[in-house]
Protein backbone atom coordinates (compact mmCIF):
# COMPACT_ATOMS: atom_id res chain seq x y z
CA UNK A 1 0.00 0.00 0.00
CA UNK A 2 1.33 3.43 -0.95
CA UNK A 3 1.47 6.10 1.77
CA UNK A 4 0.39 9.18 -0.14
CA UNK A 5 1.31 11.39 2.85
CA UNK A 6 4.88 11.00 1.58
CA UNK A 7 3.83 12.82 -1.62
CA UNK A 8 2.89 16.05 0.17
CA UNK A 9 5.36 18.92 0.10
CA UNK A 10 7.52 19.15 3.19
CA UNK A 11 7.58 22.41 5.15
CA UNK A 12 11.06 23.32 3.88
CA UNK A 13 10.40 22.23 0.28
CA UNK A 14 9.77 24.60 -2.64
CA UNK A 15 7.65 23.58 -5.65
CA UNK A 16 9.42 24.40 -8.93
CA UNK A 17 6.86 23.04 -11.40
CA UNK A 18 3.85 20.70 -11.36
CA UNK A 19 2.28 19.48 -14.61
CA UNK A 20 0.09 16.71 -15.91
CA UNK A 21 2.12 13.88 -17.40
CA UNK A 22 2.01 10.14 -17.99
CA UNK A 23 4.46 7.71 -16.47
CA UNK A 24 5.10 4.94 -18.98
CA UNK A 25 5.53 1.50 -17.42
CA UNK A 26 6.13 -1.60 -19.50
CA UNK A 27 3.63 -4.34 -18.74
CA UNK A 28 4.85 -7.61 -20.25
CA UNK A 29 6.25 -6.07 -23.46
CA UNK A 30 3.73 -3.28 -24.03
CA UNK A 31 4.22 0.30 -22.82
CA UNK A 32 1.34 1.44 -20.63
CA UNK A 33 0.86 5.17 -19.90
CA UNK A 34 -0.36 6.03 -16.41
CA UNK A 35 -1.76 9.60 -16.29
CA UNK A 36 -0.99 11.73 -13.28
CA UNK A 37 0.89 14.77 -12.03
CA UNK A 38 4.65 15.20 -11.99
CA UNK A 39 6.02 17.67 -9.45
CA UNK A 40 9.60 18.92 -9.39
CA UNK A 41 10.67 20.51 -6.13
CA UNK A 42 14.00 21.78 -4.88
CA UNK A 43 14.46 18.38 -3.15
CA UNK A 44 12.51 15.68 -5.05
CA UNK A 45 10.68 14.55 -8.17
CA UNK A 46 7.22 13.21 -7.36
CA UNK A 47 4.81 11.37 -9.65
CA UNK A 48 1.25 10.83 -8.41
CA UNK A 49 -1.04 8.83 -10.70
CA UNK A 50 -4.58 10.07 -11.23
CA UNK A 51 -5.57 7.03 -13.34
CA UNK A 52 -4.01 3.70 -14.19
CA UNK A 53 -1.89 1.70 -11.78
CA UNK A 54 -1.27 3.10 -8.29
CA UNK A 55 2.08 1.28 -8.44
CA UNK A 56 3.22 3.85 -11.01
CA UNK A 57 3.64 6.39 -8.19
CA UNK A 58 7.23 7.28 -7.40
CA UNK A 59 9.42 9.71 -5.49
CA UNK A 60 13.08 10.38 -6.30
CA UNK A 61 15.30 12.57 -4.17
CA UNK A 62 17.31 14.89 -6.41
CA UNK A 63 20.63 13.58 -5.03
CA UNK A 64 19.61 10.07 -6.21
CA UNK A 65 19.19 11.16 -9.84
CA UNK A 66 22.09 10.66 -12.23
CA UNK A 67 20.67 12.46 -15.26
CA UNK A 68 17.78 12.73 -17.67
CA UNK A 69 17.47 12.45 -21.43
CA UNK A 70 14.91 13.61 -23.95
CA UNK A 71 13.75 11.31 -26.74
CA UNK A 72 11.17 11.43 -29.50
CA UNK A 73 8.27 13.83 -28.95
CA UNK A 74 10.04 15.25 -25.87
CA UNK A 75 9.67 12.00 -23.92
CA UNK A 76 11.75 12.37 -20.72
CA UNK A 77 13.70 9.47 -19.25
CA UNK A 78 14.95 10.03 -15.70
CA UNK A 79 17.91 7.82 -14.74
CA UNK A 80 18.70 7.22 -11.08
CA UNK A 81 22.15 6.42 -9.70
CA UNK A 82 20.97 2.84 -9.07
CA UNK A 83 20.10 2.41 -12.77
CA UNK A 84 16.33 2.73 -12.40
CA UNK A 85 14.61 4.50 -15.31
CA UNK A 86 11.40 6.54 -15.21
CA UNK A 87 9.89 7.45 -18.58
CA UNK A 88 7.57 10.47 -18.68
CA UNK A 89 5.49 11.70 -21.59
CA UNK A 90 2.92 14.44 -21.96
CA UNK A 91 1.91 17.79 -23.40
CA UNK A 92 3.84 19.81 -20.81
CA UNK A 93 7.20 18.06 -21.09
CA UNK A 94 8.98 21.20 -22.33
CA UNK A 95 8.10 22.88 -19.03
CA UNK A 96 9.15 19.78 -17.08
CA UNK A 97 12.49 19.77 -18.95
CA UNK A 98 13.06 23.39 -17.88
CA UNK A 99 12.18 22.41 -14.32
CA UNK A 100 14.70 19.54 -14.30
CA UNK A 101 17.38 21.85 -15.66
CA UNK A 102 16.55 24.51 -13.05
CA UNK A 103 17.30 22.05 -10.21
CA UNK A 104 20.62 21.15 -11.88
CA UNK A 105 19.81 17.65 -13.08
CA UNK A 106 22.30 16.78 -15.80
CA UNK A 107 20.79 16.43 -19.28
CA UNK A 108 22.29 13.69 -21.44
CA UNK A 109 22.69 14.48 -25.13
Amino acid sequence: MIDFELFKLQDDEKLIVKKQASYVKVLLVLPQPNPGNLSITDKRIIFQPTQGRPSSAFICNLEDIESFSVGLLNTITILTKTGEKHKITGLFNKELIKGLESVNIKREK
Side-chain angles (χ1 to χ4, degrees):
M1 188 73 181
I2 297 171
D3 181 3
F4 282 101
E5 285 296 312
L6 296 173
F7 289 78
K8 290 184 178 179
L9 288 182
Q10 300 165 356
D11 290 338
D12 62 342
E13 192 170 23
K14 180 183 171 193
L15 181 66
I16 306 299
V17 65
K18 179 178 181 177
K19 295 292 177 188
Q20 292 177 336
S22 289
Y23 177 44
V24 180
K25 287 187 86 168
V26 176
L27 186 61
L28 299 174
V29 294
L30 299 173
Q32 179 185 37
N34 294 274
N37 294 303
L38 187 80
S39 300
I40 300 170
T41 76
D42 61 338
K43 299 182 183 293
R44 308 179 290 168
I45 295 175
I46 304 163
F47 180 77
Q48 288 184 275
T50 54
Q51 298 176 26
R53 298 182 176 278
S55 64
S56 65
F58 72 85
I59 297 174
C60 287
N61 293 322
L62 294 184
E63 66 264 13
D64 296 332
I65 298 173
E66 181 71 32
S67 63
F68 77 97
S69 61
V70 180
L72 294 174
L73 302 174
N74 286 328
T75 298
I76 300 169
T77 301
I78 299 167
L79 178 63
T80 68
K81 291 179 179 175
T82 61
E84 205 175 352
K85 291 182 180 181
H86 300 286
K87 190 176 236 182
I88 306 295
T89 187
L91 295 175
F92 301 105
N93 275 10
K94 287 184 181 180
E95 293 171 59
L96 294 173
I97 291 165
K98 288 179 187 175
L100 289 168
E101 292 173 335
S102 75
V103 294
N104 299 315
I105 301 299
K106 182 174 75 173
R107 181 174 177 171
E108 296 291 328
K109 301 286 178 182

